[in-house]
């Protein structure tokens, strides 16, 4: 009987290690949320009012364009939607048979995500802010693919209330569930998501005053660091 219990009941050290991994995953997903703010600021301010991660905004703008909204970048908005879906679809296929939590596949996907953003940041050295088509549409679509990969990977890692790309549900939960008697840990987590997305957008907008490339370089470095740290923690 004792041997059976030893095999089925996690040890205290195992439980503590799992909790440590959960905390690390939370911090890493919050870092990705910051990088999302940077990338969406670049997309909206530097790539002709197109979001690379916030697909809600793109759908709303497309709806306005259908009713005659003027000066809306319809082709880029549509391509961003398609790119995001393609990125999420690819990541979902890759992760379909992966073990729960952080795995080599999640590391590889985030590594690809970082590499795509890095390459596009270097491409923008040539084209600068507000690149004309077809280069502008290709860059916007590439960023959307990267964000689709990130969103699907974050969904698989499944840190509660931290999707890294969606804020509305987090804001709703913060307002609806936090008071009175809410879970303080979740309140801080939700507030951190909102604050980091805000700070990321501010950082992206600030770097755009210098050049578009440093903003995307910052996002690429953050995503790459998340991939490396997550992989090391998982292997530990």
């Amino acid at each position: 009987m004792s041997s059976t219990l030893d095999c089925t009941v996690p040890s205290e050290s195992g439980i503590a290690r799992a909790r440590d991994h959960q905390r690390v995953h939370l911090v890493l997903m919050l870092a990705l949320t910051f990088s999302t703010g940077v990338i969406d600021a670049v997309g909206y301010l530097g790539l002709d009012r197109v979001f690379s991660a916030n697909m809600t905004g793109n759908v709303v703008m497309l709806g306005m364009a259908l009713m005659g909204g003027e000066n809306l970048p319809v082709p880029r908005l549509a391509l961003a939607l398609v790119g995001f879906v393609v990125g999420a679809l690819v990541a979902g296929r890759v992760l379909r048979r992966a073990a729960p939590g952080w795995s080599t596949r999640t590391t590889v996907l985030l590594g690809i995500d970082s590499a795509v953003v890095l390459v596009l940041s270097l491409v923008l050295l040539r084209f600068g802010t507000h690149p004309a088509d077809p280069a502008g549409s290709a860059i916007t679509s590439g960023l959307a693919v990267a964000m689709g990969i990130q969103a699907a990977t974050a969904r698989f890692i499944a840190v509660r209330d931290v999707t890294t790309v969606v804020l509305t549900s987090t804001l709703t939960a913060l307002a609806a569930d936090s008071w009175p008697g809410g879970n303080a840990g979740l309140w801080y987590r939700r507030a951190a998501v909102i604050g980091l997305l805000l700070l990321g957008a501010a950082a992206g907008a600030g770097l755009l005053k210098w050049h578009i490339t440093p903003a995307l370089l910052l996002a690429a470095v953050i995503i790459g660091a998340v991939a490396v740290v997550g992989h090391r923690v998982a292997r530990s």
Side-chain angles (χ1 to χ4, degrees):
M1 176 68 71
S2 61
S3 61
T4 302
L5 289 175
D6 290 342
C7 293
T8 58
V9 179
S11 65
E12 291 185 5
S13 62
I15 295 173
R17 186 162 56 250
R19 288 175 178 170
D20 288 342
H21 284 192
Q22 289 173 358
R23 293 189 189 99
V24 172
H25 290 171
L26 171 60
V27 172
L28 295 179
M29 295 304 101
L30 290 174
L32 289 181
T33 301
F34 178 88
S35 71
T36 296
V38 174
I39 290 175
D40 263 348
V42 168
Y44 193 83
L45 298 176
L47 297 173
D48 200 13
R49 292 183 295 166
V50 177
F51 292 110
S52 299
N54 179 16
M55 291 300 113
T56 302
N58 290 342
V59 170
V60 169
M61 285 191 282
L62 278 174
M64 292 188 292
L66 288 175
M67 295 306 296
E70 297 181 357
N71 300 321
L72 292 171
V74 174
R76 291 194 189 187
L77 290 168
L79 287 171
L81 282 170
V82 173
F84 188 91
V85 171
V86 169
L89 177 63
V90 170
R93 294 285 184 178
V94 171
L95 293 170
R96 175 170 293 181
R97 296 183 181 179
W102 200 291
S103 67
T104 301
R105 296 189 183 195
T106 58
T107 301
V108 170
L109 286 170
L110 288 176
I112 293 172
D113 185 9
S114 176
V116 170
V117 177
L118 175 61
V119 169
L120 293 175
S121 71
L122 298 177
V123 169
L124 283 166
L125 279 174
R126 164 67 175 81
F127 294 98
T129 308
H130 306 296
D133 285 332
S137 292
I139 292 168
T140 300
S141 302
L143 285 175
V145 171
M147 290 298 95
I149 291 172
Q150 176 182 302
T153 304
R155 180 176 180 270
F156 182 82
I157 296 172
V159 175
R160 182 176 177 182
D161 289 324
V162 189
T163 66
T164 78
V165 296
V166 178
L167 186 61
T168 304
S169 59
T170 303
L171 188 61
T172 301
L174 177 66
D177 299 339
S178 294
W179 291 291
N183 187 310
L186 291 179
W187 186 90
Y188 290 127
R189 175 182 302 189
R190 292 161 180 166
V193 169
I194 297 167
L196 285 169
L197 192 65
L198 177 68
L199 290 174
L207 287 171
L208 272 172
K209 294 180 179 180
W210 177 21
H211 195 276
I212 194 170
T213 292
L216 286 183
L217 278 176
L218 173 61
V221 168
I222 292 172
I223 298 168
V226 167
V228 171
V229 173
H231 185 70
R232 291 177 65 88
V233 170
R235 289 178 63 85
S236 69

PDB file of all heavy atoms in Angstrom, residues 193-233:
ATOM      1  N   VAL A 193      -1.461  42.759 -15.822  1.00  0.00           N
ATOM      2  CA  VAL A 193      -1.675  42.586 -17.264  1.00  0.00           C
ATOM      3  C   VAL A 193      -2.019  43.925 -17.914  1.00  0.00           C
ATOM      4  O   VAL A 193      -1.438  44.315 -18.938  1.00  0.00           O
ATOM      5  CB  VAL A 193      -2.798  41.567 -17.522  1.00  0.00           C
ATOM      6  CG1 VAL A 193      -3.223  41.567 -18.980  1.00  0.00           C
ATOM      7  CG2 VAL A 193      -2.346  40.166 -17.116  1.00  0.00           C
ATOM      8  N   ILE A 194      -2.958  44.642 -17.310  1.00  0.00           N
ATOM      9  CA  ILE A 194      -3.386  45.928 -17.866  1.00  0.00           C
ATOM     10  C   ILE A 194      -2.234  46.926 -17.851  1.00  0.00           C
ATOM     11  O   ILE A 194      -1.959  47.618 -18.848  1.00  0.00           O
ATOM     12  CB  ILE A 194      -4.591  46.464 -17.071  1.00  0.00           C
ATOM     13  CG1 ILE A 194      -5.782  45.505 -17.217  1.00  0.00           C
ATOM     14  CG2 ILE A 194      -4.964  47.865 -17.527  1.00  0.00           C
ATOM     15  CD1 ILE A 194      -6.903  45.766 -16.243  1.00  0.00           C
ATOM     16  N   GLY A 195      -1.546  46.996 -16.715  1.00  0.00           N
ATOM     17  CA  GLY A 195      -0.448  47.949 -16.591  1.00  0.00           C
ATOM     18  C   GLY A 195       0.692  47.660 -17.549  1.00  0.00           C
ATOM     19  O   GLY A 195       1.263  48.584 -18.152  1.00  0.00           O
ATOM     20  N   LEU A 196       1.044  46.396 -17.723  1.00  0.00           N
ATOM     21  CA  LEU A 196       2.170  46.053 -18.594  1.00  0.00           C
ATOM     22  C   LEU A 196       1.834  46.261 -20.066  1.00  0.00           C
ATOM     23  O   LEU A 196       2.701  46.661 -20.848  1.00  0.00           O
ATOM     24  CB  LEU A 196       2.604  44.610 -18.335  1.00  0.00           C
ATOM     25  CG  LEU A 196       3.387  44.413 -17.041  1.00  0.00           C
ATOM     26  CD1 LEU A 196       3.545  42.939 -16.725  1.00  0.00           C
ATOM     27  CD2 LEU A 196       4.754  45.077 -17.127  1.00  0.00           C
ATOM     28  N   LEU A 197       0.599  45.992 -20.446  1.00  0.00           N
ATOM     29  CA  LEU A 197       0.212  46.281 -21.831  1.00  0.00           C
ATOM     30  C   LEU A 197       0.278  47.789 -22.088  1.00  0.00           C
ATOM     31  O   LEU A 197       0.747  48.236 -23.148  1.00  0.00           O
ATOM     32  CB  LEU A 197      -1.188  45.754 -22.114  1.00  0.00           C
ATOM     33  CG  LEU A 197      -1.607  45.727 -23.581  1.00  0.00           C
ATOM     34  CD1 LEU A 197      -0.749  44.748 -24.377  1.00  0.00           C
ATOM     35  CD2 LEU A 197      -3.077  45.368 -23.719  1.00  0.00           C
ATOM     36  N   LEU A 198      -0.173  48.559 -21.102  1.00  0.00           N
ATOM     37  CA  LEU A 198      -0.105  50.019 -21.204  1.00  0.00           C
ATOM     38  C   LEU A 198       1.338  50.500 -21.309  1.00  0.00           C
ATOM     39  O   LEU A 198       1.685  51.312 -22.179  1.00  0.00           O
ATOM     40  CB  LEU A 198      -0.794  50.640 -19.989  1.00  0.00           C
ATOM     41  CG  LEU A 198      -0.773  52.169 -19.883  1.00  0.00           C
ATOM     42  CD1 LEU A 198      -1.622  52.784 -20.977  1.00  0.00           C
ATOM     43  CD2 LEU A 198      -1.260  52.607 -18.508  1.00  0.00           C
ATOM     44  N   LEU A 199       2.193  49.979 -20.438  1.00  0.00           N
ATOM     45  CA  LEU A 199       3.600  50.382 -20.456  1.00  0.00           C
ATOM     46  C   LEU A 199       4.295  49.938 -21.737  1.00  0.00           C
ATOM     47  O   LEU A 199       5.143  50.662 -22.273  1.00  0.00           O
ATOM     48  CB  LEU A 199       4.317  49.794 -19.239  1.00  0.00           C
ATOM     49  CG  LEU A 199       3.939  50.393 -17.877  1.00  0.00           C
ATOM     50  CD1 LEU A 199       4.621  49.624 -16.753  1.00  0.00           C
ATOM     51  CD2 LEU A 199       4.301  51.872 -17.817  1.00  0.00           C
ATOM     52  N   GLY A 200       3.941  48.753 -22.229  1.00  0.00           N
ATOM     53  CA  GLY A 200       4.527  48.286 -23.476  1.00  0.00           C
ATOM     54  C   GLY A 200       4.167  49.194 -24.639  1.00  0.00           C
ATOM     55  O   GLY A 200       5.026  49.539 -25.467  1.00  0.00           O
ATOM     56  N   ALA A 201       2.893  49.594 -24.700  1.00  0.00           N
ATOM     57  CA  ALA A 201       2.475  50.506 -25.762  1.00  0.00           C
ATOM     58  C   ALA A 201       3.185  51.844 -25.642  1.00  0.00           C
ATOM     59  O   ALA A 201       3.597  52.440 -26.648  1.00  0.00           O
ATOM     60  CB  ALA A 201       0.963  50.694 -25.714  1.00  0.00           C
ATOM     61  N   ALA A 202       3.345  52.324 -24.403  1.00  0.00           N
ATOM     62  CA  ALA A 202       4.056  53.588 -24.204  1.00  0.00           C
ATOM     63  C   ALA A 202       5.513  53.469 -24.635  1.00  0.00           C
ATOM     64  O   ALA A 202       6.066  54.375 -25.276  1.00  0.00           O
ATOM     65  CB  ALA A 202       3.964  54.006 -22.737  1.00  0.00           C
ATOM     66  N   ALA A 203       6.146  52.344 -24.291  1.00  0.00           N
ATOM     67  CA  ALA A 203       7.537  52.135 -24.690  1.00  0.00           C
ATOM     68  C   ALA A 203       7.668  52.065 -26.204  1.00  0.00           C
ATOM     69  O   ALA A 203       8.588  52.649 -26.795  1.00  0.00           O
ATOM     70  CB  ALA A 203       8.073  50.851 -24.052  1.00  0.00           C
ATOM     71  N   GLY A 204       6.734  51.361 -26.850  1.00  0.00           N
ATOM     72  CA  GLY A 204       6.770  51.268 -28.306  1.00  0.00           C
ATOM     73  C   GLY A 204       6.600  52.624 -28.963  1.00  0.00           C
ATOM     74  O   GLY A 204       7.320  52.972 -29.908  1.00  0.00           O
ATOM     75  N   ALA A 205       5.636  53.416 -28.455  1.00  0.00           N
ATOM     76  CA  ALA A 205       5.412  54.750 -29.016  1.00  0.00           C
ATOM     77  C   ALA A 205       6.619  55.654 -28.788  1.00  0.00           C
ATOM     78  O   ALA A 205       6.995  56.444 -29.662  1.00  0.00           O
ATOM     79  CB  ALA A 205       4.162  55.363 -28.395  1.00  0.00           C
ATOM     80  N   GLY A 206       7.236  55.525 -27.621  1.00  0.00           N
ATOM     81  CA  GLY A 206       8.414  56.333 -27.340  1.00  0.00           C
ATOM     82  C   GLY A 206       9.585  55.994 -28.243  1.00  0.00           C
ATOM     83  O   GLY A 206      10.268  56.890 -28.766  1.00  0.00           O
ATOM     84  N   LEU A 207       9.826  54.700 -28.463  1.00  0.00           N
ATOM     85  CA  LEU A 207      10.930  54.285 -29.328  1.00  0.00           C
ATOM     86  C   LEU A 207      10.666  54.664 -30.789  1.00  0.00           C
ATOM     87  O   LEU A 207      11.606  54.891 -31.552  1.00  0.00           O
ATOM     88  CB  LEU A 207      11.149  52.782 -29.204  1.00  0.00           C
ATOM     89  CG  LEU A 207      11.784  52.326 -27.883  1.00  0.00           C
ATOM     90  CD1 LEU A 207      11.749  50.805 -27.758  1.00  0.00           C
ATOM     91  CD2 LEU A 207      13.215  52.837 -27.761  1.00  0.00           C
ATOM     92  N   LEU A 208       9.402  54.722 -31.175  1.00  0.00           N
ATOM     93  CA  LEU A 208       9.074  55.122 -32.550  1.00  0.00           C
ATOM     94  C   LEU A 208       9.520  56.550 -32.849  1.00  0.00           C
ATOM     95  O   LEU A 208       9.766  56.899 -34.011  1.00  0.00           O
ATOM     96  CB  LEU A 208       7.574  55.001 -32.797  1.00  0.00           C
ATOM     97  CG  LEU A 208       7.067  53.638 -33.268  1.00  0.00           C
ATOM     98  CD1 LEU A 208       5.545  53.620 -33.274  1.00  0.00           C
ATOM     99  CD2 LEU A 208       7.591  53.305 -34.639  1.00  0.00           C
ATOM    100  N   LYS A 209       9.629  57.381 -31.828  1.00  0.00           N
ATOM    101  CA  LYS A 209      10.095  58.742 -32.049  1.00  0.00           C
ATOM    102  C   LYS A 209      11.556  58.751 -32.487  1.00  0.00           C
ATOM    103  O   LYS A 209      12.015  59.726 -33.098  1.00  0.00           O
ATOM    104  CB  LYS A 209       9.920  59.564 -30.770  1.00  0.00           C
ATOM    105  CG  LYS A 209       8.465  59.766 -30.370  1.00  0.00           C
ATOM    106  CD  LYS A 209       8.351  60.571 -29.102  1.00  0.00           C
ATOM    107  CE  LYS A 209       6.886  60.784 -28.708  1.00  0.00           C
ATOM    108  NZ  LYS A 209       6.763  61.571 -27.458  1.00  0.00           N
ATOM    109  N   TRP A 210      12.261  57.691 -32.146  1.00  0.00           N
ATOM    110  CA  TRP A 210      13.649  57.540 -32.574  1.00  0.00           C
ATOM    111  C   TRP A 210      13.701  56.824 -33.924  1.00  0.00           C
ATOM    112  O   TRP A 210      14.169  57.362 -34.913  1.00  0.00           O
ATOM    113  CB  TRP A 210      14.420  56.779 -31.492  1.00  0.00           C
ATOM    114  CG  TRP A 210      15.842  56.476 -31.828  1.00  0.00           C
ATOM    115  CD1 TRP A 210      16.650  57.103 -32.752  1.00  0.00           C
ATOM    116  CD2 TRP A 210      16.640  55.453 -31.232  1.00  0.00           C
ATOM    117  NE1 TRP A 210      17.894  56.540 -32.764  1.00  0.00           N
ATOM    118  CE2 TRP A 210      17.917  55.518 -31.833  1.00  0.00           C
ATOM    119  CE3 TRP A 210      16.395  54.498 -30.247  1.00  0.00           C
ATOM    120  CZ2 TRP A 210      18.946  54.660 -31.485  1.00  0.00           C
ATOM    121  CZ3 TRP A 210      17.420  53.647 -29.890  1.00  0.00           C
ATOM    122  CH2 TRP A 210      18.678  53.728 -30.501  1.00  0.00           C
ATOM    123  N   HIS A 211      13.179  55.571 -33.936  1.00  0.00           N
ATOM    124  CA  HIS A 211      13.109  54.792 -35.170  1.00  0.00           C
ATOM    125  C   HIS A 211      12.239  53.577 -34.891  1.00  0.00           C
ATOM    126  O   HIS A 211      12.110  53.130 -33.748  1.00  0.00           O
ATOM    127  CB  HIS A 211      14.510  54.357 -35.628  1.00  0.00           C
ATOM    128  CG  HIS A 211      14.553  53.859 -37.048  1.00  0.00           C
ATOM    129  ND1 HIS A 211      14.249  52.556 -37.375  1.00  0.00           N
ATOM    130  CD2 HIS A 211      14.849  54.479 -38.216  1.00  0.00           C
ATOM    131  CE1 HIS A 211      14.367  52.395 -38.687  1.00  0.00           C
ATOM    132  NE2 HIS A 211      14.735  53.549 -39.221  1.00  0.00           N
ATOM    133  N   ILE A 212      11.638  53.010 -35.936  1.00  0.00           N
ATOM    134  CA  ILE A 212      10.739  51.878 -35.755  1.00  0.00           C
ATOM    135  C   ILE A 212      11.486  50.596 -35.382  1.00  0.00           C
ATOM    136  O   ILE A 212      10.961  49.735 -34.667  1.00  0.00           O
ATOM    137  CB  ILE A 212       9.888  51.665 -37.024  1.00  0.00           C
ATOM    138  CG1 ILE A 212       8.708  50.725 -36.731  1.00  0.00           C
ATOM    139  CG2 ILE A 212      10.740  51.184 -38.199  1.00  0.00           C
ATOM    140  CD1 ILE A 212       7.701  50.656 -37.849  1.00  0.00           C
ATOM    141  N   THR A 213      12.722  50.452 -35.845  1.00  0.00           N
ATOM    142  CA  THR A 213      13.468  49.217 -35.608  1.00  0.00           C
ATOM    143  C   THR A 213      13.750  48.940 -34.130  1.00  0.00           C
ATOM    144  O   THR A 213      13.557  47.804 -33.680  1.00  0.00           O
ATOM    145  CB  THR A 213      14.782  49.227 -36.409  1.00  0.00           C
ATOM    146  OG1 THR A 213      14.456  49.135 -37.802  1.00  0.00           O
ATOM    147  CG2 THR A 213      15.669  48.054 -36.048  1.00  0.00           C
ATOM    148  N   PRO A 214      14.221  49.917 -33.330  1.00  0.00           N
ATOM    149  CA  PRO A 214      14.489  49.614 -31.915  1.00  0.00           C
ATOM    150  C   PRO A 214      13.266  49.093 -31.165  1.00  0.00           C
ATOM    151  O   PRO A 214      13.408  48.258 -30.255  1.00  0.00           O
ATOM    152  CB  PRO A 214      14.960  50.957 -31.350  1.00  0.00           C
ATOM    153  CG  PRO A 214      15.509  51.683 -32.513  1.00  0.00           C
ATOM    154  CD  PRO A 214      14.644  51.284 -33.669  1.00  0.00           C
ATOM    155  N   ALA A 215      12.074  49.580 -31.525  1.00  0.00           N
ATOM    156  CA  ALA A 215      10.865  49.107 -30.842  1.00  0.00           C
ATOM    157  C   ALA A 215      10.656  47.615 -31.077  1.00  0.00           C
ATOM    158  O   ALA A 215      10.407  46.841 -30.135  1.00  0.00           O
ATOM    159  CB  ALA A 215       9.651  49.902 -31.318  1.00  0.00           C
ATOM    160  N   LEU A 216      10.767  47.202 -32.336  1.00  0.00           N
ATOM    161  CA  LEU A 216      10.596  45.781 -32.634  1.00  0.00           C
ATOM    162  C   LEU A 216      11.756  44.951 -32.102  1.00  0.00           C
ATOM    163  O   LEU A 216      11.572  43.795 -31.707  1.00  0.00           O
ATOM    164  CB  LEU A 216      10.439  45.576 -34.143  1.00  0.00           C
ATOM    165  CG  LEU A 216       9.101  45.991 -34.745  1.00  0.00           C
ATOM    166  CD1 LEU A 216       9.054  45.655 -36.227  1.00  0.00           C
ATOM    167  CD2 LEU A 216       7.940  45.315 -34.025  1.00  0.00           C
ATOM    168  N   LEU A 217      12.961  45.509 -32.089  1.00  0.00           N
ATOM    169  CA  LEU A 217      14.100  44.796 -31.506  1.00  0.00           C
ATOM    170  C   LEU A 217      13.853  44.506 -30.029  1.00  0.00           C
ATOM    171  O   LEU A 217      14.172  43.418 -29.541  1.00  0.00           O
ATOM    172  CB  LEU A 217      15.381  45.610 -31.675  1.00  0.00           C
ATOM    173  CG  LEU A 217      16.089  45.522 -33.023  1.00  0.00           C
ATOM    174  CD1 LEU A 217      17.279  46.474 -33.048  1.00  0.00           C
ATOM    175  CD2 LEU A 217      16.548  44.091 -33.308  1.00  0.00           C
ATOM    176  N   LEU A 218      13.305  45.484 -29.316  1.00  0.00           N
ATOM    177  CA  LEU A 218      12.991  45.279 -27.902  1.00  0.00           C
ATOM    178  C   LEU A 218      12.009  44.128 -27.740  1.00  0.00           C
ATOM    179  O   LEU A 218      12.198  43.249 -26.888  1.00  0.00           O
ATOM    180  CB  LEU A 218      12.401  46.556 -27.315  1.00  0.00           C
ATOM    181  CG  LEU A 218      11.870  46.459 -25.880  1.00  0.00           C
ATOM    182  CD1 LEU A 218      12.989  46.067 -24.911  1.00  0.00           C
ATOM    183  CD2 LEU A 218      11.216  47.774 -25.452  1.00  0.00           C
ATOM    184  N   ALA A 219      10.962  44.109 -28.554  1.00  0.00           N
ATOM    185  CA  ALA A 219       9.978  43.029 -28.470  1.00  0.00           C
ATOM    186  C   ALA A 219      10.608  41.681 -28.792  1.00  0.00           C
ATOM    187  O   ALA A 219      10.344  40.676 -28.112  1.00  0.00           O
ATOM    188  CB  ALA A 219       8.811  43.311 -29.418  1.00  0.00           C
ATOM    189  N   ALA A 220      11.457  41.634 -29.822  1.00  0.00           N
ATOM    190  CA  ALA A 220      12.108  40.377 -30.201  1.00  0.00           C
ATOM    191  C   ALA A 220      12.995  39.855 -29.084  1.00  0.00           C
ATOM    192  O   ALA A 220      13.017  38.645 -28.797  1.00  0.00           O
ATOM    193  CB  ALA A 220      12.922  40.579 -31.475  1.00  0.00           C
ATOM    194  N   VAL A 221      13.734  40.749 -28.436  1.00  0.00           N
ATOM    195  CA  VAL A 221      14.611  40.340 -27.335  1.00  0.00           C
ATOM    196  C   VAL A 221      13.794  39.788 -26.169  1.00  0.00           C
ATOM    197  O   VAL A 221      14.155  38.766 -25.565  1.00  0.00           O
ATOM    198  CB  VAL A 221      15.480  41.525 -26.879  1.00  0.00           C
ATOM    199  CG1 VAL A 221      16.187  41.211 -25.563  1.00  0.00           C
ATOM    200  CG2 VAL A 221      16.506  41.878 -27.952  1.00  0.00           C
ATOM    201  N   ILE A 222      12.679  40.446 -25.846  1.00  0.00           N
ATOM    202  CA  ILE A 222      11.834  39.979 -24.738  1.00  0.00           C
ATOM    203  C   ILE A 222      11.269  38.598 -25.041  1.00  0.00           C
ATOM    204  O   ILE A 222      11.315  37.688 -24.193  1.00  0.00           O
ATOM    205  CB  ILE A 222      10.696  40.978 -24.473  1.00  0.00           C
ATOM    206  CG1 ILE A 222      11.259  42.281 -23.910  1.00  0.00           C
ATOM    207  CG2 ILE A 222       9.665  40.386 -23.496  1.00  0.00           C
ATOM    208  CD1 ILE A 222      10.228  43.390 -23.790  1.00  0.00           C
ATOM    209  N   ILE A 223      10.743  38.411 -26.243  1.00  0.00           N
ATOM    210  CA  ILE A 223      10.162  37.111 -26.610  1.00  0.00           C
ATOM    211  C   ILE A 223      11.238  36.025 -26.585  1.00  0.00           C
ATOM    212  O   ILE A 223      11.015  34.916 -26.088  1.00  0.00           O
ATOM    213  CB  ILE A 223       9.497  37.190 -27.990  1.00  0.00           C
ATOM    214  CG1 ILE A 223       8.342  38.189 -27.969  1.00  0.00           C
ATOM    215  CG2 ILE A 223       8.978  35.808 -28.414  1.00  0.00           C
ATOM    216  CD1 ILE A 223       7.805  38.542 -29.344  1.00  0.00           C
ATOM    217  N   GLY A 224      12.421  36.334 -27.120  1.00  0.00           N
ATOM    218  CA  GLY A 224      13.519  35.367 -27.101  1.00  0.00           C
ATOM    219  C   GLY A 224      13.947  35.011 -25.689  1.00  0.00           C
ATOM    220  O   GLY A 224      14.209  33.844 -25.383  1.00  0.00           O
ATOM    221  N   ALA A 225      14.023  36.020 -24.816  1.00  0.00           N
ATOM    222  CA  ALA A 225      14.392  35.762 -23.425  1.00  0.00           C
ATOM    223  C   ALA A 225      13.355  34.892 -22.724  1.00  0.00           C
ATOM    224  O   ALA A 225      13.701  33.993 -21.941  1.00  0.00           O
ATOM    225  CB  ALA A 225      14.555  37.089 -22.681  1.00  0.00           C
ATOM    226  N   VAL A 226      12.086  35.127 -23.023  1.00  0.00           N
ATOM    227  CA  VAL A 226      11.014  34.293 -22.452  1.00  0.00           C
ATOM    228  C   VAL A 226      11.187  32.843 -22.885  1.00  0.00           C
ATOM    229  O   VAL A 226      11.054  31.915 -22.071  1.00  0.00           O
ATOM    230  CB  VAL A 226       9.637  34.837 -22.870  1.00  0.00           C
ATOM    231  CG1 VAL A 226       8.534  33.817 -22.566  1.00  0.00           C
ATOM    232  CG2 VAL A 226       9.344  36.145 -22.158  1.00  0.00           C
ATOM    233  N   ALA A 227      11.490  32.622 -24.156  1.00  0.00           N
ATOM    234  CA  ALA A 227      11.683  31.265 -24.659  1.00  0.00           C
ATOM    235  C   ALA A 227      12.837  30.575 -23.941  1.00  0.00           C
ATOM    236  O   ALA A 227      12.732  29.411 -23.529  1.00  0.00           O
ATOM    237  CB  ALA A 227      11.937  31.296 -26.164  1.00  0.00           C
ATOM    238  N   VAL A 228      13.950  31.278 -23.773  1.00  0.00           N
ATOM    239  CA  VAL A 228      15.131  30.691 -23.141  1.00  0.00           C
ATOM    240  C   VAL A 228      14.873  30.382 -21.666  1.00  0.00           C
ATOM    241  O   VAL A 228      15.154  29.275 -21.179  1.00  0.00           O
ATOM    242  CB  VAL A 228      16.340  31.631 -23.286  1.00  0.00           C
ATOM    243  CG1 VAL A 228      17.514  31.140 -22.434  1.00  0.00           C
ATOM    244  CG2 VAL A 228      16.758  31.749 -24.744  1.00  0.00           C
ATOM    245  N   VAL A 229      14.330  31.356 -20.943  1.00  0.00           N
ATOM    246  CA  VAL A 229      14.084  31.151 -19.514  1.00  0.00           C
ATOM    247  C   VAL A 229      13.054  30.049 -19.296  1.00  0.00           C
ATOM    248  O   VAL A 229      13.233  29.177 -18.432  1.00  0.00           O
ATOM    249  CB  VAL A 229      13.605  32.464 -18.861  1.00  0.00           C
ATOM    250  CG1 VAL A 229      13.175  32.223 -17.408  1.00  0.00           C
ATOM    251  CG2 VAL A 229      14.717  33.515 -18.916  1.00  0.00           C
ATOM    252  N   GLY A 230      11.980  30.063 -20.064  1.00  0.00           N
ATOM    253  CA  GLY A 230      10.963  29.020 -19.915  1.00  0.00           C
ATOM    254  C   GLY A 230      11.525  27.639 -20.172  1.00  0.00           C
ATOM    255  O   GLY A 230      11.204  26.677 -19.464  1.00  0.00           O
ATOM    256  N   HIS A 231      12.381  27.516 -21.176  1.00  0.00           N
ATOM    257  CA  HIS A 231      12.981  26.227 -21.493  1.00  0.00           C
ATOM    258  C   HIS A 231      13.897  25.750 -20.365  1.00  0.00           C
ATOM    259  O   HIS A 231      13.844  24.578 -19.966  1.00  0.00           O
ATOM    260  CB  HIS A 231      13.761  26.337 -22.795  1.00  0.00           C
ATOM    261  CG  HIS A 231      14.331  25.027 -23.275  1.00  0.00           C
ATOM    262  ND1 HIS A 231      13.538  24.013 -23.755  1.00  0.00           N
ATOM    263  CD2 HIS A 231      15.609  24.583 -23.316  1.00  0.00           C
ATOM    264  CE1 HIS A 231      14.304  22.981 -24.090  1.00  0.00           C
ATOM    265  NE2 HIS A 231      15.562  23.309 -23.839  1.00  0.00           N
ATOM    266  N   ARG A 232      14.694  26.656 -19.833  1.00  0.00           N
ATOM    267  CA  ARG A 232      15.613  26.286 -18.752  1.00  0.00           C
ATOM    268  C   ARG A 232      14.853  25.856 -17.494  1.00  0.00           C
ATOM    269  O   ARG A 232      15.238  24.888 -16.815  1.00  0.00           O
ATOM    270  CB  ARG A 232      16.561  27.437 -18.447  1.00  0.00           C
ATOM    271  CG  ARG A 232      17.574  27.706 -19.552  1.00  0.00           C
ATOM    272  CD  ARG A 232      18.443  28.907 -19.215  1.00  0.00           C
ATOM    273  NE  ARG A 232      19.268  28.661 -18.043  1.00  0.00           N
ATOM    274  CZ  ARG A 232      20.463  28.103 -18.053  1.00  0.00           C
ATOM    275  NH1 ARG A 232      20.990  27.708 -19.200  1.00  0.00           N
ATOM    276  NH2 ARG A 232      21.148  27.927 -16.940  1.00  0.00           N
ATOM    277  N   VAL A 233      13.796  26.581 -17.189  1.00  0.00           N
ATOM    278  CA  VAL A 233      13.008  26.241 -16.004  1.00  0.00           C
ATOM    279  C   VAL A 233      12.325  24.889 -16.191  1.00  0.00           C
ATOM    280  O   VAL A 233      12.278  24.061 -15.267  1.00  0.00           O
ATOM    281  CB  VAL A 233      11.962  27.342 -15.718  1.00  0.00           C
ATOM    282  CG1 VAL A 233      10.986  26.882 -14.644  1.00  0.00           C
ATOM    283  CG2 VAL A 233      12.662  28.618 -15.285  1.00  0.00           C
TER     284      VAL A 233
END
